[in-house]
Amino acid sequence: MAPQTFKIASIPADGVGKEVVAAGRRVLDVLAEQSGGLFAFEWEEFPWGCEYYARTGKMMADDGLETLRAFDAIYFGAVGWENVPDHISLWGLRLNITQNFDQWANVRPVKFLPGVRSPLRKADDTELDWVVVRENSEGEYAGLGGRNLSGRGPGNEVALQTALFTEKGCERIIRFAFDLARTRTVRKVSSVTKSNAQQYGMVLWDEVFERVAADYPDVATESVLVDAMSAKFILHPEELSVVVASNLNADILSDLGSALAGSLGIASSANLNPERRFPSMFEPVHGSAPDIAGRGISNPIGAIASAALMLDHFGLHEQARRIDAAIEAATGSGARTRDIGGTANTETVTEAIVTALRTALAPA
């Protein structure tokens, strides 16, 4: 049987992104070697990011989006450096991709790993496992607005930032969350809103959630204000399964969830175009971390777990679970970087995961 070859665009970008993408690629290539010729990866790396900006004045090539269209997926590192303002680096590369490729579903699992101590006391004796589903195309990150009236003199400028909520956008992400809930042990969707203060966009969100929920009578529901949900993440996380929220609210809550699991360094994410009209993009949640970049001590788990999400997207669910199990074996055996209480470096953790794949977890 001819192998199934997946064309992957690798964009390490900035800082520790280069280190963790290399680690994830190594793990994926080991899986391909072990597959007996069933699948393979064809990689092409692109040098886009803040270093590219310093040379060209652009975060990515003019034809970058057209080039990326030809790939099955995008494997992304992290973006941002001191030579480029954050709003330029983010909108010039990452958001340029997610917006133009309509990657409207951002999936961010919250996983508690063996050997990783959580600041939550409840995590010591309660099994916790939930996923944040983030609307990834509109909401507060729609990029609508502007700055005006600066000509009136200092102190008179006005900035408008408009959140966009469409019925279509709300429905597709909420329905995605319900479909995901049906695949989980606990079938429940928690909608996060702020409709008491945002009486237009968030009220539309609430109305769509109530309407869509009627199509899923087998899934439990709740609608919680974002401030109350922040407290619930800490006080009653055992009640969570799938949490669906707008672009900004889900961004913040997913970071909180990852911190509660031990570190942003272990957090994975998938930016999905579910219709597959465009390639989807997979990346760790953490940033470029200039303070530790180049020292070889960054945590590769977020990037490697994102690679597992990419395998799920390809339908290679058994291989994805092997990566998840190998990560758990590594952290459980003590292979942990300093952000999760260990002393291991990037290479040591990566090798521990590779070893787990090649030994106890290798296929018969």
Side-chain angles (χ1 to χ4, degrees):
M1 179 184 298
Q4 188 175 12
T5 300
F6 299 100
K7 292 181 59 179
I8 313 296
S10 171
I11 309 177
D14 304 315
V16 298
K18 300 174 184 178
E19 303 164 30
V20 300
V21 164
R25 286 181 57 169
R26 172 157 169 69
V27 170
L28 286 171
D29 286 339
V30 168
L31 276 177
E33 291 170 7
Q34 292 184 326
S35 73
L38 293 179
F39 64 90
F41 299 102
E42 181 182 316
W43 298 96
E44 185 170 349
E45 186 167 305
F46 295 91
W48 303 329
C50 290
E51 290 182 10
Y52 186 86
Y53 182 91
R55 297 194 306 270
T56 68
K58 303 171 184 177
M59 288 298 297
M60 65 187 301
D62 289 336
D63 62 350
L65 292 174
E66 189 60 35
T67 299
L68 291 175
R69 277 176 174 265
F71 289 85
D72 296 308
I74 303 163
Y75 193 39
F76 194 85
V79 67
W81 205 251
E82 59 185 8
N83 64 313
V84 184
D86 287 344
H87 65 282
I88 292 177
S89 61
L90 187 64
W91 277 97
L93 186 56
R94 185 191 172 277
L95 287 179
N96 195 17
I97 295 171
T98 60
Q99 292 279 355
N100 282 288
F101 283 173
D102 200 20
Q103 295 169 350
W104 52 266
N106 183 212
V107 179
R108 294 186 169 188
V110 178
K111 291 190 176 182
F112 292 74
L113 298 174
V116 178
R117 186 173 183 180
S118 165
L120 279 178
R121 285 178 298 178
K122 186 167 288 187
D124 294 339
D125 53 20
T126 305
E127 186 172 344
L128 303 174
D129 176 24
W130 72 92
V131 58
V132 176
V133 173
R134 172 188 180 190
E135 200 293 311
N136 208 35
S137 64
E138 47 184 55
E140 304 86 352
Y141 291 5
L144 301 178
R147 295 174 61 173
N148 299 280
L149 306 183
S150 60
R152 292 186 176 181
N156 288 296
E157 187 173 10
V158 175
L160 297 176
Q161 192 77 43
T162 302
L164 173 69
F165 290 88
T166 68
E167 187 170 3
K168 173 184 175 182
C170 293
E171 177 164 353
R172 66 183 184 178
I173 195 64
I174 290 170
R175 198 169 290 279
F176 181 95
F178 274 95
D179 289 337
L180 178 61
R182 278 181 166 171
T183 70
R184 293 174 57 83
T185 302
V186 177
R187 294 186 171 190
K188 180 182 179 181
V189 176
S190 303
S191 172
V192 179
T193 184
K194 193 58 180 172
S195 50
N196 58 343
Q198 296 176 298
Q199 71 271 44
Y200 304 121
M202 293 263 81
V203 169
L204 173 62
W205 175 284
D206 287 349
E207 291 172 354
V208 173
F209 181 76
E210 184 177 359
R211 174 169 58 79
V212 171
D215 293 337
Y216 297 83
D218 54 319
V219 179
T221 65
E222 63 177 351
S223 184
V224 185
L225 296 177
V226 65
D227 38 358
M229 182 58 80
S230 299
K232 189 166 190 171
F233 265 44
I234 298 169
L235 299 176
H236 300 290
E238 72 280 2
E239 297 179 6
L240 303 173
S241 181
V242 175
V243 177
V244 63
S246 66
N247 216 325
L248 176 62
N249 289 338
D251 191 8
I252 296 170
L253 286 173
S254 61
D255 279 11
L256 174 59
S258 299
L260 294 174
S263 170
L264 288 183
I266 63 176
S268 61
S269 75
N271 302 285
L272 302 175
N273 174 246
E275 300 87 357
R276 299 178 187 260
R277 294 184 299 115
F278 303 101
S280 295
M281 183 164 68
F282 303 84
E283 60 175 335
V285 171
H286 63 70
S288 56
D291 58 323
I292 63 170
R295 296 169 57 188
I297 60 173
S298 58
N299 193 336
I301 289 178
I304 294 171
S306 298
L309 295 177
M310 182 164 64
L311 294 178
D312 276 324
H313 183 65
F314 292 151
L316 299 174
H317 304 298
E318 181 180 347
Q319 301 296 335
R321 300 294 76 75
R322 291 190 62 221
I323 289 183
D324 291 340
I327 290 172
E328 293 183 3
T331 60
S333 67
R336 300 186 292 271
T337 47
R338 68 176 189 174
D339 61 305
I340 50 176
T343 59
N345 59 28
T346 309
E347 182 178 359
T348 303
V349 173
T350 304
E351 287 306 313
I353 293 171
V354 167
T355 298
L357 289 172
R358 284 179 166 164
T359 55
L361 302 178

